[in-house]
Every structure is written in C-alpha cells, then in structure tokens.
Amino acid sequence: MKLTILGCYSATPRALNNTTSQVLEINNHMFLIDCGEGTQVQLRKHRIKFNRIKHIFISHLHGDHFFGLVGLISTFRLLTRETDLHIYGPKGIKEVITLQMKLADSWTNYNLIFHELTSKKSKLVFEDDKVVVHTIPLNHRVYTNGFLFKEKEGERKLDIVAVENANIDTAYFRKLKQGFDVENRDGVLIDNKKVTKPAKKPKSYAFCSDTMYKEDIVPIIKNVDVLYHESTFLEKHANLALKTKHSTAKEAAKIAKFANVGTLVLGHYSTRYDGLNAFKEEAQTVFDNVELSEDGKVFNF
Ligand SMILES: [Zn+2]
C-alpha cells in the first residue's frame, strides 16, 4: 500500500497548505480520498495519472473536503475520459454536482456513478476479489464517514520443493493455494500446511476525518496497520475542538492506542499553529508510533 498525502490542512487552501485529499494505492486501485479545492493541481504535481482514479471517497460536504470535486469531474471531461467514475459520499453530493453541471449546460462523456451514504452504522461500500472498503461513522457537525480499506486474505504460497517431494499433481495446485488438503499421485492425503506457506498478512488503512473524539470507532478500526486521524487542534484548544466537533492530537493518539494500530498519521491541522512538531509531541505522550502527514508526503506500508 502506498499513501500519498495531497493536502492535510483544515479550512482554506493557502500558498503552502492544501486542504484534505489523499491517494491510496492498494492492489492496483488508486483510490482518491476527499477532494479539497486544488486537488487536481496536487495530482498533477505528484504525477498521479488521472485515468487511474476510478473511485473517489468523500467523507463529508464541508468545502475543505470536496470543493475540488466538481473541478476534477470537469477536467476529466476535458481530457475525454471514457472510464466510469464512482463517487461515494453523503446524500446530497449528487444534487450539488448535478446542479453545477446542469447550470453550466455541461455533462460528462463518461459514466458518473454516485453511491450516496446515509447510514449511521458501518457499511460495505466497495468490494472486489482483493479489496474491501467499509464506512466508519464519525461525529462531526454534518453527516460524516471515515473509510476503512482492507486487503482480503491472499492465497497460500506453494513450497515448490515440498510439493514435488510430496508427489502432488499440478492439477491440485489451485486447491493447495486455497488451503485444502489434497491427495498425491499415490492416493495419500497431504496436509496442506506441510507443502504451502501462509499468505502475506493483508494490509489495512483507516481514514478518519473530520470527527470529534469518538471511542466507538475503536472496534471498527481495531489493529489496522495505519490510522489517519484528524488532529485539528492541540489540547490547549480542547474547548475549540469540542465546540467545532474536531479532535486534538492527544485524542487522536488515544484512539490509536485503544485500537492498537500500527502507525498513527496525524493531519487536518489548523493553520493557527507554528509548525507541526507540537502535534507529534502531544500525541506521543499517549502513543509512540506517530507520523505527521505533510502535503506531498508519501507513506509506503
Ligand atoms: Zn469538516
């Protein structure tokens, strides 16, 4: 999995700060998560091929998370895109995009498919043979979901030497990879574990922004490899976090600790602070493995 942070600041785009957007590469998918204003410029800067984006996940309809969407949709049209585009987001997203396009007497020459979300429970929104995506219901001023991206358990790997020694016909290799015991050429049942190795551990990534401290997401994101959790404020502004339904760096770290995640990535910073180190330091009083997202930063995991 490769995560590219296109923007990780709250509120408004500035000369050096972009609002929320990121690209997650997972099993040949290139998922765009949120699409703040200027996202298409960031995509170009980071040489991400527009055509590879087939699914866009929008957490909520605050501008700093989706004002770039109509522009991107429009640019796709100018680039004569033909590939379907799936958009997952809160109910209303279809109306707002459709209205803008209608008033411009414009429409796409590719299929634009909206998957509108209304549930307050975690729901499956995407699945293929390798990857599954669920929503993570969050608590913010408007209806908001995070997204949990998970690789499916892969096939077991053949231990070629062991397979040959066990005298198993190649016709059974598929069954072996799927974990079944099979008979060898002499009719003897062979224990799968003696001739195969476990599949590599499936990776998982949880995106949680925007939200106030919400402990009941912990079971949904338990043991993920990487958790991106918003930390708009530091504890000294905990009152503001509460009022605006955002989180502090310390609260993000508490969620990471309770969920036993591998790495916590902080983001959605308020631009009122000088520098980001204070976010990391505050989070590390609770949870060790903390990384700071920064515009343009790439995480491989
Ligand atoms: Zn928001």
Side-chain angles (χ1 to χ4, degrees), residues 93-296:
I93 196 166
K94 181 177 178 179
E95 187 187 353
V96 67
I97 296 294
T98 307
L99 181 64
Q100 278 200 273
M101 305 211 59
K102 191 179 111 188
L103 295 178
D105 194 18
S106 162
W107 197 242
T108 59
N109 38 4
Y110 55 92
N111 289 322
L112 194 53
I113 302 146
F114 290 94
H115 304 262
E116 293 197 307
L117 309 170
T118 53
S119 179
K120 290 191 172 158
K121 292 193 175 132
S122 176
K123 293 280 176 194
L124 174 82
V125 286
F126 173 84
E127 182 172 25
D128 69 3
D129 56 338
K130 298 227 166 91
V131 180
V132 61
V133 185
H134 287 89
T135 58
I136 307 167
L138 300 175
N139 186 359
H140 191 42
R141 303 195 303 280
V142 293
Y143 175 73
T144 305
N145 287 293
F147 297 98
L148 172 65
F149 303 83
K150 264 185 163 173
E151 285 180 333
K152 288 185 174 174
E153 192 84 45
E155 294 191 322
R156 295 182 68 83
K157 299 245 179 314
L158 293 183
D159 179 340
I160 291 299
V161 176
V163 167
E164 277 172 11
N165 287 342
N167 196 24
I168 299 170
D169 194 280
T170 54
Y172 288 111
F173 283 9
R174 179 111 209 110
K175 284 259 171 219
L176 284 175
K177 287 182 185 172
Q178 290 167 347
F180 294 101
D181 296 340
V182 300
E183 283 187 2
N184 69 2
R185 291 190 179 95
D186 307 317
V188 179
L189 191 67
I190 306 295
D191 180 359
N192 186 289
K193 288 193 188 64
K194 291 194 171 144
V195 291
T196 65
K197 293 172 186 164
K200 73 173 175 43
K201 191 179 163 284
K203 295 276 175 69
S204 53
Y205 171 62
F207 169 87
C208 293
S209 185
D210 297 351
T211 188
M212 66 185 297
Y213 181 75
K214 188 170 189 274
E215 229 171 78
D216 56 8
I217 64 171
V218 166
I220 303 171
I221 62 170
K222 194 95 192 165
N223 300 326
V224 292
D225 292 290
V226 179
L227 165 66
Y228 175 93
H229 194 290
E230 74 129 284
S231 56
T232 309
F233 297 105
L234 296 172
E235 276 293 305
K236 64 182 171 188
H237 292 121
N239 59 330
L240 277 180
L242 202 61
K243 203 169 124 193
T244 57
K245 290 200 164 189
H246 281 297
S247 301
T248 65
K250 191 173 181 181
E251 287 172 331
K254 276 162 102 176
I255 296 290
K257 186 181 177 185
F258 294 148
N260 189 37
V261 309
T263 303
L264 168 65
V265 178
L266 296 175
H268 199 265
Y269 317 109
S270 162
T271 47
R272 78 189 58 234
Y273 304 105
D274 293 327
L276 301 178
N277 281 337
F279 286 92
K280 188 169 182 173
E281 282 161 18
E282 183 175 292
Q284 281 183 325
T285 61
V286 174
F287 183 79
D288 280 339
N289 204 1
V290 179
E291 298 276 351
L292 293 169
S293 59
E294 287 173 52
D295 294 1

Side-chain angles (χ1 to χ4, degrees), residues 55-59 86-90 93 115 117 125-126 147:
H55 301 271
I56 303 179
F57 299 85
I58 301 290
S59 62
H86 294 265
I87 295 171
Y88 308 80
I93 196 166
H115 304 262
L117 309 170
V125 286
F126 173 84
F147 297 98

Side-chain angles (χ1 to χ4, degrees), residues 60 62 64-65 140 210 246:
H60 66 301
H62 279 156
D64 54 338
H65 294 256
H140 191 42
D210 297 351
H246 281 297

